[in-house]
Amino acid sequence: MVTGDAAYIKKINRALILEKIIEEGMISRADLSKVTALTRATISAQVADLLQENLVVEAQLEHNTVGRKPIMLSLNRSAGYALGIDLDYGQITFTLSDLLGRPVSSNVVELFTTNYEEIHRLLTEHIRVYEQNCTDSHYGLVGIVVAVHGLVTKEEIIHYIPRLNWHEVDLKRDLAKEFTIPIHIENNANLCAFAERVYVHHQTDNLLCATLYSGIGVGMMMNSEFFRGHDGFAGEIGHMIVMPEGKPCECGNKGCWEKYASETSVFKALSMSRHIKGLTHAQIQQWLQDGDGEVEQLMEQFLYYLAIGLNNIINMYNPDVLVLDSKLLQLYPSALQRIQGHLHSSISHYRELRISSLGKESCVLGACALAIKSFLDVPRLNLSWESA
């Protein structure tokens, strides 16, 4: 039983009630009392506050049995909105979601610069538009989370973004000068992992998500919290050396994992051998369907090196679920079985290896979900991907 300051206990009870309402979708006061183990009086008092705050709405459940129709509670999904931003090289993706994490709009803006001041100005202009468009809702824009493809400190300062060549940039501080909305900066791989846990793997406490697009990043959820390391830089596993004295990497080492097992490594090899610029996933898919031997051999090599790195991180972290975020893997038949065929170690333990069903959307979905979690101040957030 929780004891302590009355206001603190009330806050904990409120968070628990909100968490269960979101998790169940619709739930009666009586059932809410059962699943939370809180008294009906506590439930009634808390729900009254949530109704007054416009965070929860009531509806009568239609059914054919005799007796009084139960009054069901659900989160007022349109009471406010969250803005997720994926700041990548060459483009910025903006996704606005309701309070249940369902996207209501998405927009991709091309970037033709890496200049910090210009990109900051562009972000500010678009955020103002979203802020204005949300003013009709009760809470408006409740939070903004910006995903960056680089190193972020625990204080949410951008330490380094390789492709933008940004060093020690305080984007959070600079945006906070323009807006009163809560703003957070987070690594993109962490947000992908968060989205996988929030939208798909609800019962998972320990989850790793490897993103394999331009490089390799690994987002790590341990006990449903981000595992960040000492400075916040954990997860840069793409720079684990898998081939001593191998291909040179921009990080300064040779033989880094992402030089052999990222999608970029496959695209680069095919572009060079076939003298094609702007190679697409659709072209590779067609070659695979045609039984192109060179492409199949390259994909097998990609899976082989991918498995080497996965074996290492499985042994290091012993995850419950390991998710691979890659469009190439979705295109290749039996990719998971082939990867698992390379994982021979008798001491490697994990429960489930999956290819992401969220794909590239996972980053902005994770950003929206993190903004929602911070606004509602709940310890755990389970959202429905079907509704998204």
Side-chain angles (χ1 to χ4, degrees):
M1 181 178 179
V2 179
T3 60
D5 179 77
Y8 176 65
I9 294 173
K10 184 177 180 180
K11 180 181 177 182
I12 291 175
N13 290 341
R14 172 192 172 92
L16 179 59
I17 289 168
L18 272 174
E19 181 183 310
K20 292 302 179 183
I21 290 174
I22 295 169
E23 185 177 322
E24 296 296 329
M26 295 184 73
I27 189 170
S28 68
R29 287 171 173 79
D31 287 338
L32 198 52
S33 178
K34 292 176 184 176
V35 297
T36 61
L38 296 173
T39 66
R40 293 199 176 197
T42 298
I43 295 294
S44 294
Q46 287 276 4
V47 167
D49 289 342
L50 293 170
L51 287 168
Q52 187 174 9
E53 294 167 28
N54 209 29
L55 274 177
V56 168
V57 292
E58 292 180 317
Q60 280 196 327
L61 185 64
E62 297 295 331
H63 60 83
N64 296 323
T65 60
V66 296
R68 185 177 176 182
K69 296 178 181 178
I71 302 296
M72 307 299 288
L73 304 168
S74 60
L75 190 76
N76 184 0
R77 65 195 314 164
S78 60
Y81 297 91
L83 181 61
I85 303 173
D86 182 4
L87 172 57
D88 200 357
Y89 178 80
Q91 67 177 40
I92 309 175
T93 303
F94 297 86
T95 294
L96 188 73
S97 82
D98 62 24
L99 292 185
L100 284 180
R102 182 185 64 187
V104 295
S105 70
S106 190
N107 183 35
V108 178
V109 177
E110 286 191 76
L111 273 181
F112 301 99
T113 180
T114 61
N115 180 268
Y116 175 73
E117 286 73 22
E118 292 184 41
I119 292 176
H120 171 261
R121 177 185 55 78
L122 190 62
L123 286 169
T124 301
E125 289 175 357
H126 281 80
I127 291 171
R128 286 201 191 284
V129 174
Y130 281 102
E131 182 183 30
Q132 182 62 37
N133 290 341
C134 293
T135 54
D136 289 342
S137 63
H138 187 81
Y139 289 97
L141 199 54
V142 302
I144 301 165
V145 174
V146 182
V148 298
H149 296 241
L151 301 177
V152 180
T153 71
K154 290 182 177 178
E155 292 75 31
E156 300 182 47
I157 295 171
I158 297 172
H159 175 63
Y160 180 45
I161 300 180
R163 300 192 74 188
L164 297 180
N165 197 28
W166 289 2
H167 298 264
E168 306 302 331
V169 172
D170 199 344
L171 178 61
K172 178 176 180 176
R173 177 200 63 197
D174 293 342
L175 288 176
K177 292 177 182 177
E178 308 287 339
F179 304 97
T180 58
I181 305 162
I183 297 168
H184 296 284
I185 311 295
E186 187 55 80
N187 170 267
N188 69 301
N190 280 346
L191 291 172
C192 290
F194 188 65
E196 293 290 343
R197 207 227 54 79
V198 167
Y199 284 97
V200 183
H201 302 279
H202 292 165
Q203 304 307 315
T204 301
D205 290 324
N206 297 297
L207 178 146
L208 301 184
C209 179
T211 58
L212 309 177
Y213 296 104
S214 57
I216 299 179
V218 175
M220 296 180 279
M221 301 293 299
M222 300 294 177
N223 296 319
S224 298
E225 298 291 338
F226 291 127
F227 178 80
R228 301 181 185 277
H230 178 66
D231 294 311
F233 305 155
E236 292 299 316
I237 295 177
H239 297 288
M240 168 176 55
I241 295 173
V242 297
M243 180 65 72
E245 295 302 313
K247 298 176 184 178
C249 181
E250 292 80 3
C251 75
N253 282 325
K254 294 180 180 179
C256 289
W257 189 29
E258 66 180 39
K259 289 298 175 182
Y260 298 85
S262 66
E263 292 199 359
T264 295
S265 68
V266 177
F267 274 78
K268 185 175 181 181
L270 281 173
S271 294
M272 290 179 64
S273 68
R274 306 201 171 191
H275 308 288
I276 298 175
K277 290 185 178 181
L279 196 62
T280 66
H281 286 92
Q283 287 172 290
I284 294 178
Q285 183 178 27
Q286 186 60 56
W287 289 331
L288 287 171
Q289 290 174 351
D290 294 341
D292 189 304
E294 180 193 5
V295 179
E296 289 179 347
Q297 184 178 1
L298 189 60
M299 287 297 296
E300 287 296 329
Q301 181 179 294
F302 167 60
L303 297 181
Y304 171 73
Y305 282 110
L306 180 57
I308 289 175
L310 293 178
N311 180 74
N312 292 340
I313 64 175
I314 288 168
N315 283 331
M316 281 189 286
Y317 296 105
N318 182 213
D320 183 21
V321 175
L322 179 53
V323 181
L324 306 177
D325 189 356
S326 164
K327 190 169 183 178
L328 273 183
L329 293 181
Q330 293 176 340
L331 302 179
Y332 199 51
S334 306
L336 278 184
Q337 291 87 336
R338 292 169 187 263
I339 293 170
Q340 289 168 328
H342 292 300
L343 299 175
H344 303 298
S345 174
S346 60
I347 61 172
S348 293
H349 289 91
Y350 62 94
R351 180 175 62 82
E352 190 175 0
L353 180 66
R354 292 274 296 271
I355 296 174
S356 173
S357 59
L358 302 179
K360 277 199 167 183
E361 289 186 355
S362 63
C363 184
V364 285
L365 286 174
C368 290
L370 187 60
I372 293 167
K373 182 177 183 292
S374 299
F375 169 66
L376 296 177
D377 197 16
V378 293
R380 190 179 180 92
L381 188 65
N382 287 338
L383 300 174
S384 171
W385 171 235
E386 287 75 16
S387 69

Short mmCIF file of all heavy atoms in Angstrom, two decimals, residues 184-229:
data_model
loop_
_atom_site.label_atom_id
_atom_site.label_comp_id
_atom_site.label_asym_id
_atom_site.label_seq_id
_atom_site.Cartn_x
_atom_site.Cartn_y
_atom_site.Cartn_z
N HIS A 184 11.05 18.52 -26.29
CA HIS A 184 12.08 17.53 -25.96
C HIS A 184 12.86 17.17 -27.23
O HIS A 184 12.29 17.13 -28.32
CB HIS A 184 11.46 16.27 -25.35
CG HIS A 184 10.79 16.50 -24.04
ND1 HIS A 184 11.49 16.66 -22.86
CD2 HIS A 184 9.48 16.64 -23.72
CE1 HIS A 184 10.64 16.87 -21.88
NE2 HIS A 184 9.42 16.86 -22.37
N ILE A 185 14.15 16.90 -27.04
CA ILE A 185 15.01 16.44 -28.13
C ILE A 185 15.44 15.02 -27.79
O ILE A 185 15.87 14.75 -26.67
CB ILE A 185 16.26 17.34 -28.29
CG1 ILE A 185 15.88 18.81 -28.32
CG2 ILE A 185 17.05 16.93 -29.54
CD1 ILE A 185 15.04 19.24 -29.50
N GLU A 186 15.33 14.11 -28.77
CA GLU A 186 15.65 12.70 -28.48
C GLU A 186 16.30 12.06 -29.71
O GLU A 186 16.05 12.47 -30.86
CB GLU A 186 14.37 11.95 -28.09
CG GLU A 186 14.57 10.52 -27.62
CD GLU A 186 15.55 10.42 -26.47
OE1 GLU A 186 15.15 10.69 -25.32
OE2 GLU A 186 16.71 10.08 -26.74
N ASN A 187 17.12 11.07 -29.47
CA ASN A 187 17.74 10.29 -30.54
C ASN A 187 16.68 9.49 -31.29
O ASN A 187 15.76 8.94 -30.70
CB ASN A 187 18.79 9.35 -29.93
CG ASN A 187 19.32 8.34 -30.91
OD1 ASN A 187 18.81 7.23 -31.00
ND2 ASN A 187 20.32 8.74 -31.68
N ASN A 188 16.81 9.40 -32.61
CA ASN A 188 15.78 8.77 -33.43
C ASN A 188 15.62 7.27 -33.12
O ASN A 188 14.50 6.75 -33.09
CB ASN A 188 16.10 8.95 -34.91
CG ASN A 188 17.32 8.17 -35.36
OD1 ASN A 188 18.42 8.38 -34.84
ND2 ASN A 188 17.17 7.30 -36.33
N ALA A 189 16.72 6.57 -32.87
CA ALA A 189 16.63 5.13 -32.60
C ALA A 189 15.90 4.88 -31.28
O ALA A 189 15.12 3.92 -31.16
CB ALA A 189 18.02 4.50 -32.56
N ASN A 190 16.12 5.74 -30.29
CA ASN A 190 15.39 5.61 -29.02
C ASN A 190 13.89 5.76 -29.24
O ASN A 190 13.09 5.01 -28.65
CB ASN A 190 15.86 6.66 -28.01
CG ASN A 190 17.17 6.30 -27.34
OD1 ASN A 190 17.61 5.15 -27.42
ND2 ASN A 190 17.79 7.25 -26.68
N LEU A 191 13.51 6.70 -30.08
CA LEU A 191 12.09 6.92 -30.34
C LEU A 191 11.47 5.78 -31.13
O LEU A 191 10.30 5.44 -30.93
CB LEU A 191 11.88 8.26 -31.06
CG LEU A 191 12.16 9.49 -30.20
CD1 LEU A 191 12.12 10.75 -31.04
CD2 LEU A 191 11.18 9.60 -29.04
N CYS A 192 12.24 5.17 -32.01
CA CYS A 192 11.76 3.99 -32.74
C CYS A 192 11.49 2.86 -31.75
O CYS A 192 10.46 2.17 -31.83
CB CYS A 192 12.77 3.54 -33.78
SG CYS A 192 12.94 4.66 -35.19
N ALA A 193 12.41 2.65 -30.81
CA ALA A 193 12.23 1.61 -29.79
C ALA A 193 11.02 1.93 -28.92
O ALA A 193 10.23 1.03 -28.57
CB ALA A 193 13.49 1.49 -28.93
N PHE A 194 10.85 3.20 -28.57
CA PHE A 194 9.71 3.61 -27.74
C PHE A 194 8.40 3.34 -28.46
O PHE A 194 7.43 2.84 -27.87
CB PHE A 194 9.84 5.08 -27.38
CG PHE A 194 8.83 5.57 -26.39
CD1 PHE A 194 8.82 5.08 -25.09
CD2 PHE A 194 7.88 6.53 -26.74
CE1 PHE A 194 7.88 5.52 -24.16
CE2 PHE A 194 6.95 6.98 -25.82
CZ PHE A 194 6.95 6.47 -24.53
N ALA A 195 8.34 3.65 -29.76
CA ALA A 195 7.13 3.40 -30.54
C ALA A 195 6.81 1.92 -30.59
O ALA A 195 5.64 1.52 -30.47
CB ALA A 195 7.30 3.95 -31.96
N GLU A 196 7.82 1.08 -30.76
CA GLU A 196 7.59 -0.36 -30.80
C GLU A 196 6.99 -0.85 -29.49
O GLU A 196 6.07 -1.67 -29.48
CB GLU A 196 8.90 -1.10 -31.09
CG GLU A 196 9.47 -0.85 -32.48
CD GLU A 196 8.65 -1.48 -33.59
OE1 GLU A 196 7.82 -2.37 -33.30
OE2 GLU A 196 8.85 -1.08 -34.75
N ARG A 197 7.49 -0.34 -28.37
CA ARG A 197 6.96 -0.78 -27.08
C ARG A 197 5.56 -0.25 -26.84
O ARG A 197 4.67 -0.96 -26.38
CB ARG A 197 7.89 -0.36 -25.93
CG ARG A 197 7.78 -1.30 -24.74
CD ARG A 197 7.63 -0.60 -23.40
NE ARG A 197 6.55 0.36 -23.30
CZ ARG A 197 5.28 0.04 -23.10
NH1 ARG A 197 4.90 -1.22 -23.03
NH2 ARG A 197 4.37 0.97 -22.99
N VAL A 198 5.33 1.03 -27.18
CA VAL A 198 4.05 1.68 -26.90
C VAL A 198 2.93 1.18 -27.80
O VAL A 198 1.80 0.94 -27.34
CB VAL A 198 4.21 3.21 -27.03
CG1 VAL A 198 2.85 3.90 -27.05
CG2 VAL A 198 5.05 3.76 -25.89
N TYR A 199 3.23 0.99 -29.09
CA TYR A 199 2.18 0.64 -30.05
C TYR A 199 2.02 -0.85 -30.30
O TYR A 199 0.95 -1.31 -30.68
CB TYR A 199 2.45 1.32 -31.40
CG TYR A 199 2.14 2.79 -31.45
CD1 TYR A 199 3.14 3.74 -31.26
CD2 TYR A 199 0.84 3.25 -31.69
CE1 TYR A 199 2.87 5.10 -31.32
CE2 TYR A 199 0.55 4.60 -31.75
CZ TYR A 199 1.57 5.52 -31.57
OH TYR A 199 1.30 6.87 -31.62
N VAL A 200 3.09 -1.63 -30.11
CA VAL A 200 3.05 -3.03 -30.54
C VAL A 200 3.31 -4.01 -29.40
O VAL A 200 2.50 -4.91 -29.15
CB VAL A 200 4.08 -3.28 -31.68
CG1 VAL A 200 3.98 -4.73 -32.16
CG2 VAL A 200 3.86 -2.31 -32.83
N HIS A 201 4.41 -3.85 -28.70
CA HIS A 201 4.85 -4.84 -27.71
C HIS A 201 4.51 -4.37 -26.29
O HIS A 201 5.38 -4.02 -25.50
CB HIS A 201 6.35 -5.09 -27.86
CG HIS A 201 6.73 -5.56 -29.24
ND1 HIS A 201 6.59 -6.87 -29.63
CD2 HIS A 201 7.22 -4.89 -30.31
CE1 HIS A 201 7.00 -7.00 -30.89
NE2 HIS A 201 7.37 -5.80 -31.33
N HIS A 202 3.23 -4.40 -25.98
CA HIS A 202 2.74 -3.84 -24.73
C HIS A 202 3.25 -4.57 -23.49
O HIS A 202 3.39 -3.98 -22.42
CB HIS A 202 1.20 -3.85 -24.71
CG HIS A 202 0.59 -2.91 -25.69
ND1 HIS A 202 -0.73 -2.97 -26.06
CD2 HIS A 202 1.12 -1.88 -26.40
CE1 HIS A 202 -0.99 -2.02 -26.93
NE2 HIS A 202 0.12 -1.36 -27.16
N GLN A 203 3.51 -5.85 -23.62
CA GLN A 203 3.90 -6.64 -22.45
C GLN A 203 5.42 -6.78 -22.32
O GLN A 203 5.90 -7.57 -21.54
CB GLN A 203 3.27 -8.04 -22.54
CG GLN A 203 1.75 -8.03 -22.68
CD GLN A 203 1.06 -7.21 -21.62
OE1 GLN A 203 1.41 -7.33 -20.43
NE2 GLN A 203 0.09 -6.40 -22.00
N THR A 204 6.16 -5.99 -23.08
CA THR A 204 7.61 -6.11 -23.10
C THR A 204 8.26 -5.02 -22.25
O THR A 204 7.98 -3.84 -22.44
CB THR A 204 8.14 -5.99 -24.55
OG1 THR A 204 7.55 -7.02 -25.33
CG2 THR A 204 9.65 -6.12 -24.59
N ASP A 205 9.12 -5.43 -21.34
CA ASP A 205 9.86 -4.46 -20.53
C ASP A 205 11.25 -4.20 -21.08
O ASP A 205 11.82 -3.13 -20.87
CB ASP A 205 9.98 -4.97 -19.08
CG ASP A 205 8.65 -4.94 -18.34
OD1 ASP A 205 7.88 -4.00 -18.59
OD2 ASP A 205 8.39 -5.84 -17.53
N ASN A 206 11.82 -5.19 -21.78
CA ASN A 206 13.19 -5.05 -22.30
C ASN A 206 13.16 -5.27 -23.82
O ASN A 206 12.97 -6.40 -24.28
CB ASN A 206 14.11 -6.07 -21.63
CG ASN A 206 14.22 -5.82 -20.13
OD1 ASN A 206 14.69 -4.78 -19.71
ND2 ASN A 206 13.73 -6.77 -19.35
N LEU A 207 13.34 -4.19 -24.55
CA LEU A 207 13.21 -4.23 -26.01
C LEU A 207 14.36 -3.47 -26.65
O LEU A 207 14.73 -2.37 -26.21
CB LEU A 207 11.86 -3.63 -26.42
CG LEU A 207 11.53 -3.53 -27.91
CD1 LEU A 207 10.03 -3.73 -28.13
CD2 LEU A 207 11.97 -2.18 -28.52
N LEU A 208 14.92 -4.05 -27.70
CA LEU A 208 15.90 -3.36 -28.53
C LEU A 208 15.32 -3.18 -29.93
O LEU A 208 14.67 -4.08 -30.45
CB LEU A 208 17.20 -4.17 -28.64
CG LEU A 208 17.96 -4.52 -27.36
CD1 LEU A 208 19.26 -5.23 -27.72
CD2 LEU A 208 18.25 -3.28 -26.54
N CYS A 209 15.56 -2.01 -30.53
CA CYS A 209 15.12 -1.77 -31.90
C CYS A 209 16.32 -1.26 -32.70
O CYS A 209 16.87 -0.20 -32.38
CB CYS A 209 13.99 -0.75 -31.93
SG CYS A 209 13.42 -0.36 -33.61
N ALA A 210 16.71 -2.04 -33.71
CA ALA A 210 17.83 -1.65 -34.56
C ALA A 210 17.30 -1.02 -35.84
O ALA A 210 16.54 -1.66 -36.58
CB ALA A 210 18.70 -2.86 -34.89
N THR A 211 17.64 0.23 -36.10
CA THR A 211 17.25 0.91 -37.34
C THR A 211 18.41 0.78 -38.33
O THR A 211 19.55 1.08 -38.00
CB THR A 211 16.93 2.39 -37.09
OG1 THR A 211 18.08 3.04 -36.52
CG2 THR A 211 15.77 2.53 -36.12
N LEU A 212 18.10 0.35 -39.56
CA LEU A 212 19.15 -0.06 -40.49
C LEU A 212 19.20 0.77 -41.77
O LEU A 212 19.69 0.31 -42.78
CB LEU A 212 18.95 -1.54 -40.88
CG LEU A 212 18.77 -2.54 -39.74
CD1 LEU A 212 18.50 -3.93 -40.30
CD2 LEU A 212 20.00 -2.56 -38.84
N TYR A 213 18.74 1.99 -41.71
CA TYR A 213 18.61 2.77 -42.94
C TYR A 213 19.94 3.43 -43.36
O TYR A 213 20.77 2.80 -44.00
CB TYR A 213 17.49 3.80 -42.79
CG TYR A 213 16.14 3.15 -42.61
CD1 TYR A 213 15.52 3.10 -41.37
CD2 TYR A 213 15.48 2.54 -43.68
CE1 TYR A 213 14.29 2.48 -41.19
CE2 TYR A 213 14.25 1.92 -43.53
CZ TYR A 213 13.67 1.89 -42.27
OH TYR A 213 12.45 1.27 -42.11
N SER A 214 20.18 4.69 -43.01
CA SER A 214 21.40 5.35 -43.46
C SER A 214 22.63 4.82 -42.73
O SER A 214 23.73 4.80 -43.27
CB SER A 214 21.29 6.86 -43.26
OG SER A 214 21.03 7.16 -41.91
N GLY A 215 22.45 4.38 -41.51
CA GLY A 215 23.50 3.74 -40.72
C GLY A 215 22.84 2.67 -39.88
O GLY A 215 21.83 2.11 -40.28
N ILE A 216 23.38 2.40 -38.70
CA ILE A 216 22.71 1.50 -37.76
C ILE A 216 22.70 2.17 -36.39
O ILE A 216 23.75 2.52 -35.85
CB ILE A 216 23.42 0.14 -37.65
CG1 ILE A 216 23.43 -0.58 -39.00
CG2 ILE A 216 22.72 -0.73 -36.61
CD1 ILE A 216 24.14 -1.93 -38.97
N GLY A 217 21.51 2.34 -35.86
CA GLY A 217 21.36 2.83 -34.49
C GLY A 217 20.50 1.84 -33.73
O GLY A 217 19.65 1.16 -34.32
N VAL A 218 20.72 1.72 -32.45
CA VAL A 218 19.92 0.81 -31.64
C VAL A 218 19.30 1.58 -30.48
O VAL A 218 20.02 2.19 -29.67
CB VAL A 218 20.77 -0.36 -31.10
CG1 VAL A 218 19.94 -1.22 -30.14
CG2 VAL A 218 21.28 -1.22 -32.24
N GLY A 219 17.97 1.59 -30.45
CA GLY A 219 17.25 2.16 -29.32
C GLY A 219 17.01 1.07 -28.30
O GLY A 219 16.63 -0.05 -28.66
N MET A 220 17.23 1.39 -27.03
CA MET A 220 17.15 0.38 -25.99
C MET A 220 16.16 0.78 -24.90
O MET A 220 16.31 1.84 -24.29
CB MET A 220 18.53 0.15 -25.37
CG MET A 220 19.53 -0.42 -26.37
SD MET A 220 21.16 -0.70 -25.65
CE MET A 220 21.82 0.96 -25.74
N MET A 221 15.15 -0.07 -24.69
CA MET A 221 14.21 0.11 -23.60
C MET A 221 14.50 -0.95 -22.55
O MET A 221 14.39 -2.15 -22.81
CB MET A 221 12.77 -0.04 -24.09
CG MET A 221 12.35 0.92 -25.19
SD MET A 221 12.29 2.65 -24.65
CE MET A 221 11.05 2.57 -23.36
N MET A 222 14.90 -0.55 -21.37
CA MET A 222 15.18 -1.45 -20.26
C MET A 222 14.23 -1.12 -19.11
O MET A 222 14.22 0.02 -18.63
CB MET A 222 16.64 -1.32 -19.81
CG MET A 222 17.65 -1.65 -20.90
SD MET A 222 17.58 -3.38 -21.38
CE MET A 222 18.79 -3.43 -22.69
N ASN A 223 13.44 -2.10 -18.73
CA ASN A 223 12.40 -1.87 -17.71
C ASN A 223 11.51 -0.69 -18.10
O ASN A 223 11.16 0.15 -17.27
CB ASN A 223 13.03 -1.64 -16.33
CG ASN A 223 13.78 -2.85 -15.83
OD1 ASN A 223 13.32 -3.98 -16.00
ND2 ASN A 223 14.95 -2.64 -15.25
N SER A 224 11.19 -0.64 -19.40
CA SER A 224 10.29 0.37 -19.98
C SER A 224 10.85 1.79 -19.94
O SER A 224 10.12 2.75 -20.12
CB SER A 224 8.91 0.32 -19.32
OG SER A 224 8.31 -0.94 -19.54
N GLU A 225 12.16 1.94 -19.69
CA GLU A 225 12.81 3.24 -19.71
C GLU A 225 13.96 3.21 -20.72
O GLU A 225 14.50 2.16 -21.02
CB GLU A 225 13.35 3.61 -18.32
CG GLU A 225 12.28 3.72 -17.23
CD GLU A 225 11.37 4.91 -17.41
OE1 GLU A 225 11.77 5.87 -18.10
OE2 GLU A 225 10.25 4.89 -16.87
N PHE A 226 14.34 4.38 -21.23
CA PHE A 226 15.47 4.44 -22.15
C PHE A 226 16.75 4.07 -21.41
O PHE A 226 17.00 4.53 -20.30
CB PHE A 226 15.64 5.85 -22.73
CG PHE A 226 14.55 6.26 -23.68
CD1 PHE A 226 13.86 7.44 -23.49
CD2 PHE A 226 14.22 5.46 -24.76
CE1 PHE A 226 12.87 7.84 -24.37
CE2 PHE A 226 13.21 5.84 -25.65
CZ PHE A 226 12.54 7.03 -25.44
N PHE A 227 17.56 3.24 -22.04
CA PHE A 227 18.90 3.00 -21.54
C PHE A 227 19.83 3.92 -22.31
O PHE A 227 20.01 3.78 -23.51
CB PHE A 227 19.32 1.54 -21.74
CG PHE A 227 20.72 1.25 -21.28
CD1 PHE A 227 20.98 1.04 -19.93
CD2 PHE A 227 21.77 1.20 -22.18
CE1 PHE A 227 22.28 0.80 -19.50
CE2 PHE A 227 23.06 0.95 -21.76
CZ PHE A 227 23.32 0.75 -20.42
N ARG A 228 20.43 4.90 -21.62
CA ARG A 228 21.16 5.97 -22.30
C ARG A 228 22.67 5.87 -22.13
O ARG A 228 23.41 6.46 -22.93
CB ARG A 228 20.70 7.33 -21.78
CG ARG A 228 19.20 7.59 -21.96
CD ARG A 228 18.84 8.97 -21.43
NE ARG A 228 17.40 9.21 -21.48
CZ ARG A 228 16.74 9.63 -22.55
NH1 ARG A 228 17.39 9.83 -23.68
NH2 ARG A 228 15.44 9.84 -22.51
N GLY A 229 23.14 5.18 -21.10
CA GLY A 229 24.57 5.18 -20.83
C GLY A 229 24.98 6.39 -20.03
O GLY A 229 24.15 7.20 -19.59
#
